[in-house]
Amino acid sequence: MLATAPSPVPSRSHAGAWRSPVLAVLLFGILLYGPWLLTGGLSPRQDALRQSVPWLQFARDEVLSGRLPVWDPARLAGTPHLANIQAGFFYPLNLLSLPLPPQVAVGLGLLGHVVLGGVLLSALARGLGLSRVAAALAGMAYVAGGFATARVYASHVEVLRTMAWAPLLLLAARKLALDASPAWAAVLAVATALSLLAGYPAVTVYSLGAAGILFLASLLEGSRPWRAIALGLSSVPLASFLAAPGLWPLAELAAQTTRSVGLTLDESAIGAVRPADLPTLVWPWYFGASPLGNYWRNPNWFWHETQMASGAALSVLAVVGLATYRRHRVVVILACLGAGSLVLAFGTLTPVYTLLHELLPPLRLFRIPSRFGLVWSLVIPLLAAFGLQALLDRRTRVLHSAVKAALALSSLGLAALGVTAAWQLLGVFGGEETGPASRAAWACVAGAANVLFGAAVALSLRLVAERWGRGRLSRRGLVGGVYAAVLLELVVLGLPSIHRSPESLPGVLDNLGQENVRTLENADSRVALGGPLKAYANLGDLLGFESVTAYDPLLLGRTTTLLRASQGIEDRWGNGSNYIELVRDGGVAFDILGVGYWVEHGIERSSLVRRASPLPRLSVVPRARLVSSPEQSLRAVLTPGFNPLKEVVFEGKAGVLNAAVPARGGASVEILESRPGCLRARVDAPSGGHLLFSESYFPGWVAESAGRKVALMPADHAVMAVGLGPGSHTLTLRFTTPWLRPSLLLCCVGLLGLLVLLLLSRREWQTLARRCVG
């Protein structure tokens, strides 16, 4: 009997919203996150403030101006926008939100995608044979779980967008393996494409890996495995075609970034879970920590990255579900997926991650292994739903051993807490955030309360099960009690994460200084932000200034290398960094990139320094030097005495000089028109020369004159230039996107393929919605 699937509970046994898991999860999500939206949740903060809102603002401004947002000159001395998949321009829900102010779109997007993830997880639970109340519990546990609330705290917009589609990938993979239906192949392709376009490829890869394992394991239960495999393989190119407008330019951009050669093992393992974090999988405040800080760990502990807590009540219920249905194939698969994701979340602490890093090149582009915990955050609510189903099916014998395991775990937790407290008080742990005895005492109280609550939940669940088994408790009472224990704890644990706003735009502007802000708004050249302000370089898209720095996971390699070399320091994050450390004026590197203002961070107020010698956006340089590699060009421009106004350093063959002769002076440049991705100018160069364009180099820029196009070449390591013949020229410098039309064509091909799959499964498609939500 234990090997059979859970028997669905008749719908007549439940009333109200519980008839529909979708409605239950939706109402719960609105009640939990609605106050956050009303009390400042629409204000940009953390990563949303640093990148998501500026990206949306730039895209919105360009679309309202009748242009595609192909090139953003306000970040990193110019950087491609459409090619940055995290900006998510081609993500359908982003396109729908463009009419909204960016801060409103971000707030609603965070709430909408958290709830969407919960709804789809409840659909997955229904697809696994669970009842409505069990499926609703799984969805609500995801919405209020530590993995989701921590990402809301950090405003990881792109991560939340992408992880929302993971349950649908698992559901489609499972159903495709069982039914071999073209309808589910279509769903799998669409879910994969949406996950890719949502903007966080690492989460998509992890989700697809889990879905692939579930698909292969489920083939053993299907009646037509070879047909299912064929349909599954066909969904891969179909999803790639549908997501081509985002994937094609991403491949081109990745080749030009600091991650083009992949991250080293140490760089990719930043933000891994550590053994001491294990108690926080159940009790998130075990160490007395919260989004406000931590008392037991060193300052590099990323609370929001390692947070995967599910609470004691849900964890006990998950143990019950796993123990009860331990012979059920899908439960075993889920348990293995959860355990595997946790092992990978430890990063280099386990040999598995190291091996995969060597064998799978795509993993070398990703960092923060703790994000493998996405799979864990899906598995635990599902196992807990199986636990609730076991109670509803009166399978309570296993509760005795499950409760013993929970009590043993609680005892172990108390013992570990005592040892940790002793170490803390003796100064063995610590770090910069080691607090006085009062803070350590509070941490002990918080940890003990977490552990004791878990023990109380285990004992209460046993008592409730005994009464339920003897017929002394109604079904409604059982469901209500379990829901109250799980959701009340999750809400209490999650509220500090949701409502804590550690950063805000007014706070950043106050630190920068209102006078400085007004100066930068009217700046006639670029800005370099030093100190902690480096993370807010993208605010140029909001405030109207252009920055030579950026907060972006895909930093252009040439520009980043030049800036880092000018500082003479090593970024501790290496090529996995989202920003560029600037501690002083970069000298000639700043000149090349047109930096006219250097912002030095102060404790109370930042100071603004006006630089004297930045290059203008366009200038005619009389002499040229040819080198054979980017490394040589970097050495040449950093050589003492190099003057970018008198000499330009080209890379490549002699043909790049375009037969331009050394100029004798007297050249002039007049900019006629300037807009993102396009610059038109009149250049008078009586004796020729080389037109230096102070914009970050990227393939696709061309110079047009009299109907003739010439590609701009790398110059001075990080910018671009083109040779000029003697005379007067009217030039248009334009960023072209040759990939756009073919990628849109591939997308149309993907839509046609999707239509074919839907036509092949008309009957299945008609009942798909009912089969998902019950």
Side-chain angles (χ1 to χ4, degrees):
M1 181 179 66
L2 294 178
T4 59
S7 57
V9 179
S11 61
R12 63 176 179 273
S13 301
H14 315 288
W18 312 120
R19 288 183 181 274
S20 170
V22 172
L23 182 58
V25 175
L26 181 62
L27 290 176
F28 178 72
I30 292 175
L31 289 174
L32 181 61
Y33 289 94
W36 168 75
L37 287 173
L38 296 175
T39 58
L42 294 178
S43 300
R45 58 181 183 173
Q46 300 238 111
D47 276 18
L49 172 62
R50 299 170 181 177
Q51 56 184 26
S52 304
V53 171
W55 285 339
L56 286 173
Q57 183 68 57
F58 173 72
R60 185 172 186 265
D61 291 344
E62 287 297 281
V63 170
L64 292 178
S65 299
R67 301 186 295 265
L68 279 176
V70 293
W71 182 268
D72 186 356
R75 286 183 283 116
L76 204 63
T79 186
H81 181 84
L82 283 187
N84 187 350
I85 200 168
Q86 283 205 8
F89 179 78
F90 290 107
Y91 182 56
L93 297 184
N94 267 6
L95 290 174
L96 293 175
S97 67
L98 276 181
L100 300 174
Q103 66 272 19
V104 175
V106 165
L108 294 178
L110 284 171
L111 169 60
H113 283 91
V114 171
V115 174
L116 176 62
V119 167
L120 293 177
L121 187 62
S122 68
L124 172 59
R126 287 292 286 154
L128 297 178
L130 293 167
S131 65
R132 291 183 176 89
V133 290
L137 179 69
M140 287 187 276
Y142 169 86
V143 168
F147 198 88
T149 54
R151 270 75 196 166
V152 172
Y153 157 80
S155 291
H156 286 167
V157 178
E158 296 74 31
V159 176
L160 282 168
R161 278 201 313 241
T162 308
M163 59 191 267
W165 300 104
L168 186 57
L169 286 170
L170 293 171
L171 175 61
R174 169 78 175 169
K175 287 294 187 179
L176 178 59
L178 295 179
D179 302 340
S181 168
W184 285 110
V187 173
L188 181 60
V190 171
T192 303
L194 289 172
S195 181
L196 288 167
L197 293 174
Y200 208 84
V203 170
T204 301
V205 170
Y206 305 157
S207 304
L208 285 174
I213 293 173
L214 181 60
F215 174 79
L216 293 175
S218 300
L219 284 175
L220 299 175
E221 303 174 52
S223 58
R224 296 178 291 178
W226 292 111
R227 175 183 167 90
I229 291 174
L231 288 171
L233 292 176
S234 69
S235 68
V236 174
L238 186 59
S240 302
F241 289 170
L242 291 172
L247 294 179
W248 193 323
L250 174 64
E252 187 176 76
L253 173 61
Q256 301 293 327
T257 67
T258 55
R259 300 193 187 188
S260 60
V261 296
L263 302 180
T264 65
L265 189 59
D266 290 338
E267 290 170 343
S268 67
I270 294 171
V273 177
R274 290 167 286 189
D277 295 323
L278 282 174
T280 65
L281 297 178
V282 179
W283 305 293
W285 313 142
Y286 178 83
F287 296 109
S290 73
L292 304 177
N294 67 81
Y295 308 138
W296 301 100
R297 307 303 307 278
N298 59 52
N300 295 330
W301 183 38
F302 291 104
W303 173 89
H304 61 280
E305 293 291 3
T306 60
Q307 184 58 262
M308 294 181 280
S310 54
L314 193 75
S315 298
V316 170
L317 208 57
V319 172
V320 172
L322 178 59
T324 304
Y325 296 107
R326 60 187 179 276
R327 298 179 185 175
H328 189 293
R329 181 178 285 110
V330 76
V331 172
V332 173
I333 297 170
L334 290 175
C336 291
L337 286 175
S341 68
L342 187 59
V343 168
L344 290 172
F346 279 100
T348 53
L349 293 179
T350 63
V352 180
Y353 182 86
T354 304
L355 181 62
L356 290 181
H357 185 272
E358 293 297 324
L359 297 179
L360 301 178
L363 287 184
R364 299 174 200 165
L365 300 176
F366 308 143
R367 59 174 192 160
I368 310 182
S370 59
R371 288 177 183 166
F372 278 103
L374 163 69
V375 180
W376 176 271
S377 72
L378 300 177
V379 166
I380 296 301
L382 288 173
L383 292 179
F386 276 96
L388 177 56
Q389 191 68 56
L391 296 179
L392 293 174
D393 291 345
R394 299 178 185 269
R395 300 180 183 181
T396 57
R397 292 183 181 179
V398 76
L399 271 178
H400 296 279
S401 57
V403 170
K404 290 180 182 179
L407 292 176
L409 183 63
S410 299
S411 301
L412 181 63
L414 285 175
L417 183 67
V419 174
T420 304
W423 282 359
Q424 170 72 7
L425 294 175
L426 293 174
V428 177
F429 265 14
E432 295 180 8
E433 295 192 32
T434 302
S438 60
R439 297 179 73 183
W442 151 244
C444 290
V445 171
N450 285 156
V451 176
L452 292 176
F453 181 77
V457 167
L459 291 172
S460 301
L461 191 58
R462 178 175 179 178
L463 178 62
V464 168
E466 288 177 352
R467 288 182 173 273
W468 171 239
R470 296 172 185 172
R472 298 180 182 178
L473 185 68
S474 68
R475 186 184 297 273
R476 189 186 300 271
L478 173 67
V479 172
V482 171
Y483 267 66
V486 172
L487 298 182
L488 180 61
E489 182 188 16
L490 286 177
V491 168
V492 170
L493 296 177
L495 284 178
S497 306
I498 298 170
H499 289 280
R500 173 67 178 163
S501 299
E503 297 172 329
S504 65
L505 182 58
V508 175
L509 296 182
D510 286 343
N511 183 272
L512 189 56
Q514 295 299 325
E515 292 184 4
N516 292 342
V517 172
R518 286 193 292 270
T519 300
L520 296 180
E521 287 176 344
N522 300 314
D524 55 357
S525 57
R526 291 197 177 94
V527 179
L529 301 175
L533 290 171
K534 63 182 176 293
Y536 303 99
N538 293 5
L539 292 184
D541 280 318
L542 298 179
L543 304 178
F545 65 82
E546 296 185 359
S547 173
V548 75
T549 46
Y551 186 80
D552 198 313
L554 293 176
L555 297 172
L556 293 182
R558 289 173 175 271
T559 307
T560 302
T561 302
L562 179 61
L563 287 171
R564 286 178 175 171
S566 73
Q567 300 298 299
I569 60 173
E570 289 189 12
D571 192 321
R572 63 192 180 98
W573 303 107
N575 289 330
S577 180
N578 280 15
Y579 45 72
I580 304 166
E581 292 279 1
L582 297 179
V583 296
R584 59 184 177 84
D585 189 310
V588 70
F590 279 11
D591 291 341
I592 291 171
L593 295 171
V595 177
Y597 297 88
W598 161 240
V599 181
E600 293 182 333
H601 174 69
I603 298 177
E604 295 183 357
R605 184 66 55 84
S606 299
S607 60
L608 188 65
V609 178
R610 177 69 187 259
R611 302 186 69 255
S613 56
L615 284 178
R617 186 59 53 88
L618 291 175
S619 55
V620 177
V621 182
R623 296 191 304 273
R625 189 196 316 179
L626 189 64
V627 296
S628 59
S629 67
E631 293 75 19
Q632 289 185 0
S633 68
L634 180 62
R635 286 196 298 269
V637 299
L638 294 180
T639 300
F642 176 76
N643 186 344
L645 283 172
K646 295 183 178 180
E647 184 180 34
V648 60
V649 178
F650 280 103
E651 299 169 27
K653 300 177 180 179
V656 302
L657 300 182
N658 290 334
V661 297
R664 292 187 295 273
S668 63
V669 178
E670 178 186 2
I671 295 179
L672 305 175
E673 180 184 5
S674 178
R675 63 177 187 269
C678 183
L679 197 70
R680 194 164 65 90
R682 179 181 295 110
V683 182
D684 291 318
S687 56
H690 309 276
L691 183 67
L692 184 62
F693 182 29
S694 184
E695 194 93 355
S696 287
Y697 169 76
F698 196 84
W701 277 96
V702 297
E704 304 177 17
S705 179
R708 183 187 175 195
K709 294 182 180 180
V710 178
L712 292 171
M713 301 302 297
D716 291 352
H717 187 71
V719 293
M720 296 174 280
V722 64
L724 291 175
S728 180
H729 310 269
T730 300
L731 293 173
T732 299
L733 307 181
R734 189 187 308 278
F735 180 63
T736 59
T737 52
W739 52 265
L740 184 58
R741 288 186 179 180
S743 66
L744 291 176
L745 179 61
L746 285 178
C747 185
C748 292
V749 172
L751 290 174
L752 289 176
L754 189 63
L755 180 60
V756 171
L757 288 178
L758 296 180
L759 291 175
L760 291 175
S761 56
R762 292 190 297 274
R763 293 182 180 179
E764 292 90 345
W765 184 251
Q766 291 171 356
T767 59
L768 179 60
R770 292 196 298 272
R771 297 167 73 182
C772 285
V773 300

